[in-house]
Amino acid sequence: MSTKEIVRDAVYKATMLLDEQKWNDWLDCCDESFEYSITAWSPEINYDMTYMSANKSDLAHLIELLPKHNTDHSPLHRHTTVYSIEPSSDNKTATALSSVIIYQNLYDGTNSHIDAGDSRLFLIGRYVDTLKIENGTGIFLKRELKLENRRLDKGSHWPL
């Protein structure tokens, strides 16, 4: 497989694992030095805002606590499209830019008898991923989710 195919497969595999809430399996796709962040540009302050910045150890602790979070358990589903992949000159690393749209399928809501079963747009943004290529596998070194919207709702404590 080419570097681009390896990276594309890794991005899509990560998407499926996150959709299935297989948090630890997703984390297994990440290097020990993995860095994760969620950011958004604020036109009001003319600055990037950081909603979350974590390393692999931080994420492992967050995942461990997820069952204790107060949530309505409405699942998130990602539609990810890889736009571009730029391998390094030695093909040992690559950077991928992907569009991501996340939908939430509501189980409950403010008016559960009205909202239950509804799907709504949760967020839109782009993944900027850096991966290393090792033994024909893409391993995540870094993921930044750059949000287009700036309001996060229930479910935002899950890895997005």
Short mmCIF file of all heavy atoms in Angstrom, two decimals, residues 81-107:
data_model
loop_
_atom_site.label_atom_id
_atom_site.label_comp_id
_atom_site.label_asym_id
_atom_site.label_seq_id
_atom_site.Cartn_x
_atom_site.Cartn_y
_atom_site.Cartn_z
N THR A 81 -14.36 13.06 5.32
CA THR A 81 -13.84 12.98 3.96
C THR A 81 -12.41 13.48 3.98
O THR A 81 -12.15 14.62 4.37
CB THR A 81 -14.68 13.85 2.99
OG1 THR A 81 -16.04 13.40 3.04
CG2 THR A 81 -14.15 13.72 1.58
N VAL A 82 -11.50 12.61 3.58
CA VAL A 82 -10.09 13.01 3.51
C VAL A 82 -9.90 13.85 2.25
O VAL A 82 -10.19 13.40 1.15
CB VAL A 82 -9.16 11.77 3.48
CG1 VAL A 82 -7.71 12.20 3.35
CG2 VAL A 82 -9.37 10.92 4.72
N TYR A 83 -9.44 15.09 2.45
CA TYR A 83 -9.22 16.01 1.33
C TYR A 83 -7.83 15.87 0.74
O TYR A 83 -7.65 15.81 -0.46
CB TYR A 83 -9.40 17.45 1.78
CG TYR A 83 -10.82 17.92 1.94
CD1 TYR A 83 -11.10 19.05 2.68
CD2 TYR A 83 -11.89 17.25 1.36
CE1 TYR A 83 -12.40 19.51 2.84
CE2 TYR A 83 -13.19 17.70 1.51
CZ TYR A 83 -13.43 18.84 2.24
OH TYR A 83 -14.71 19.29 2.39
N SER A 84 -6.82 15.87 1.61
CA SER A 84 -5.45 15.83 1.11
C SER A 84 -4.55 15.09 2.08
O SER A 84 -4.80 15.09 3.29
CB SER A 84 -4.92 17.24 0.86
OG SER A 84 -4.78 17.94 2.08
N ILE A 85 -3.51 14.49 1.53
CA ILE A 85 -2.50 13.80 2.32
C ILE A 85 -1.15 14.22 1.77
O ILE A 85 -0.90 14.10 0.57
CB ILE A 85 -2.66 12.27 2.23
CG1 ILE A 85 -4.04 11.85 2.77
CG2 ILE A 85 -1.53 11.57 2.98
CD1 ILE A 85 -4.41 10.42 2.47
N GLU A 86 -0.30 14.73 2.66
CA GLU A 86 1.03 15.17 2.27
C GLU A 86 2.08 14.33 2.99
O GLU A 86 2.38 14.58 4.16
CB GLU A 86 1.22 16.66 2.63
CG GLU A 86 0.27 17.60 1.92
CD GLU A 86 0.47 17.62 0.41
OE1 GLU A 86 1.63 17.44 -0.05
OE2 GLU A 86 -0.53 17.78 -0.31
N PRO A 87 2.63 13.33 2.30
CA PRO A 87 3.69 12.53 2.92
C PRO A 87 4.99 13.34 3.05
O PRO A 87 5.25 14.23 2.25
CB PRO A 87 3.90 11.37 1.95
CG PRO A 87 2.74 11.41 1.01
CD PRO A 87 2.25 12.82 1.00
N SER A 88 5.78 13.02 4.06
CA SER A 88 7.10 13.64 4.20
C SER A 88 8.00 13.09 3.09
O SER A 88 7.68 12.08 2.44
CB SER A 88 7.69 13.34 5.57
OG SER A 88 7.89 11.95 5.73
N SER A 89 9.13 13.72 2.88
CA SER A 89 10.03 13.30 1.80
C SER A 89 10.54 11.87 2.00
O SER A 89 10.80 11.17 1.03
CB SER A 89 11.20 14.28 1.69
OG SER A 89 11.91 14.33 2.91
N ASP A 90 10.64 11.42 3.25
CA ASP A 90 11.11 10.05 3.51
C ASP A 90 9.96 9.05 3.68
O ASP A 90 10.18 7.87 3.96
CB ASP A 90 12.04 10.02 4.72
CG ASP A 90 11.36 10.47 6.01
OD1 ASP A 90 10.12 10.73 6.00
OD2 ASP A 90 12.06 10.57 7.03
N ASN A 91 8.72 9.52 3.53
CA ASN A 91 7.51 8.68 3.67
C ASN A 91 7.38 8.03 5.04
O ASN A 91 6.67 7.04 5.19
CB ASN A 91 7.45 7.61 2.59
CG ASN A 91 6.94 8.15 1.27
OD1 ASN A 91 6.12 9.06 1.25
ND2 ASN A 91 7.45 7.61 0.18
N LYS A 92 8.01 8.61 6.06
CA LYS A 92 7.89 8.07 7.42
C LYS A 92 6.76 8.72 8.20
O LYS A 92 6.29 8.18 9.20
CB LYS A 92 9.21 8.20 8.17
CG LYS A 92 10.30 7.30 7.62
CD LYS A 92 11.56 7.39 8.44
CE LYS A 92 12.63 6.46 7.88
NZ LYS A 92 13.87 6.53 8.63
N THR A 93 6.35 9.90 7.77
CA THR A 93 5.22 10.61 8.38
C THR A 93 4.39 11.23 7.26
O THR A 93 4.83 11.34 6.12
CB THR A 93 5.67 11.72 9.36
OG1 THR A 93 6.43 12.69 8.64
CG2 THR A 93 6.48 11.15 10.52
N ALA A 94 3.19 11.65 7.64
CA ALA A 94 2.32 12.32 6.68
C ALA A 94 1.33 13.18 7.44
O ALA A 94 0.99 12.90 8.59
CB ALA A 94 1.58 11.32 5.81
N THR A 95 0.86 14.23 6.78
CA THR A 95 -0.17 15.09 7.33
C THR A 95 -1.42 14.95 6.46
O THR A 95 -1.32 14.99 5.23
CB THR A 95 0.29 16.56 7.36
OG1 THR A 95 1.48 16.65 8.15
CG2 THR A 95 -0.77 17.47 7.94
N ALA A 96 -2.56 14.78 7.10
CA ALA A 96 -3.82 14.63 6.38
C ALA A 96 -4.78 15.74 6.81
O ALA A 96 -4.85 16.09 7.99
CB ALA A 96 -4.44 13.27 6.67
N LEU A 97 -5.51 16.26 5.84
CA LEU A 97 -6.55 17.26 6.10
C LEU A 97 -7.87 16.64 5.68
O LEU A 97 -8.01 16.17 4.54
CB LEU A 97 -6.28 18.53 5.31
CG LEU A 97 -7.34 19.62 5.43
CD1 LEU A 97 -7.43 20.15 6.85
CD2 LEU A 97 -7.06 20.74 4.45
N SER A 98 -8.81 16.58 6.62
CA SER A 98 -10.11 15.96 6.36
C SER A 98 -11.23 16.88 6.83
O SER A 98 -11.09 17.59 7.82
CB SER A 98 -10.24 14.63 7.12
OG SER A 98 -9.16 13.78 6.86
N SER A 99 -12.32 16.83 6.12
CA SER A 99 -13.53 17.51 6.55
C SER A 99 -14.29 16.54 7.44
O SER A 99 -14.34 15.34 7.17
CB SER A 99 -14.37 17.88 5.33
OG SER A 99 -15.63 18.35 5.72
N VAL A 100 -14.90 17.06 8.50
CA VAL A 100 -15.71 16.20 9.35
C VAL A 100 -17.01 16.93 9.72
O VAL A 100 -17.01 18.12 10.02
CB VAL A 100 -14.96 15.75 10.64
CG1 VAL A 100 -14.60 16.93 11.52
CG2 VAL A 100 -15.76 14.72 11.41
N ILE A 101 -18.08 16.18 9.60
CA ILE A 101 -19.40 16.64 10.04
C ILE A 101 -19.87 15.62 11.07
O ILE A 101 -19.83 14.41 10.80
CB ILE A 101 -20.41 16.72 8.88
CG1 ILE A 101 -19.90 17.69 7.80
CG2 ILE A 101 -21.78 17.13 9.38
CD1 ILE A 101 -20.71 17.64 6.52
N ILE A 102 -20.28 16.08 12.22
CA ILE A 102 -20.74 15.16 13.26
C ILE A 102 -22.22 15.43 13.53
O ILE A 102 -22.63 16.57 13.78
CB ILE A 102 -19.91 15.30 14.57
CG1 ILE A 102 -18.43 15.05 14.28
CG2 ILE A 102 -20.44 14.34 15.63
CD1 ILE A 102 -17.52 15.17 15.48
N TYR A 103 -22.99 14.35 13.42
CA TYR A 103 -24.42 14.39 13.70
C TYR A 103 -24.68 13.72 15.03
O TYR A 103 -23.97 12.81 15.43
CB TYR A 103 -25.21 13.65 12.61
CG TYR A 103 -25.08 14.28 11.25
CD1 TYR A 103 -24.12 13.83 10.34
CD2 TYR A 103 -25.91 15.32 10.87
CE1 TYR A 103 -24.00 14.41 9.09
CE2 TYR A 103 -25.80 15.91 9.62
CZ TYR A 103 -24.85 15.45 8.74
OH TYR A 103 -24.72 16.02 7.51
N GLN A 104 -25.72 14.16 15.71
CA GLN A 104 -26.14 13.54 16.95
C GLN A 104 -27.54 12.98 16.77
O GLN A 104 -28.44 13.69 16.32
CB GLN A 104 -26.12 14.55 18.10
CG GLN A 104 -26.42 13.94 19.45
CD GLN A 104 -26.30 14.96 20.57
OE1 GLN A 104 -26.74 16.09 20.43
NE2 GLN A 104 -25.69 14.56 21.66
N ASN A 105 -27.71 11.70 17.08
CA ASN A 105 -29.02 11.07 17.05
C ASN A 105 -29.59 11.15 18.46
O ASN A 105 -29.08 10.51 19.37
CB ASN A 105 -28.92 9.62 16.59
CG ASN A 105 -28.41 9.52 15.17
OD1 ASN A 105 -28.51 10.46 14.40
ND2 ASN A 105 -27.85 8.39 14.82
N LEU A 106 -30.64 11.93 18.62
CA LEU A 106 -31.18 12.21 19.95
C LEU A 106 -31.97 11.05 20.52
O LEU A 106 -32.87 10.51 19.86
CB LEU A 106 -32.06 13.45 19.90
CG LEU A 106 -31.35 14.75 19.47
CD1 LEU A 106 -32.36 15.88 19.37
CD2 LEU A 106 -30.26 15.11 20.44
N TYR A 107 -31.61 10.66 21.73
CA TYR A 107 -32.41 9.70 22.49
C TYR A 107 -33.40 10.48 23.36
O TYR A 107 -34.55 10.15 23.46
CB TYR A 107 -31.53 8.84 23.38
CG TYR A 107 -30.75 7.78 22.66
CD1 TYR A 107 -29.68 7.16 23.27
CD2 TYR A 107 -31.07 7.38 21.37
CE1 TYR A 107 -28.96 6.17 22.62
CE2 TYR A 107 -30.35 6.41 20.71
CZ TYR A 107 -29.29 5.80 21.34
OH TYR A 107 -28.58 4.83 20.71
#
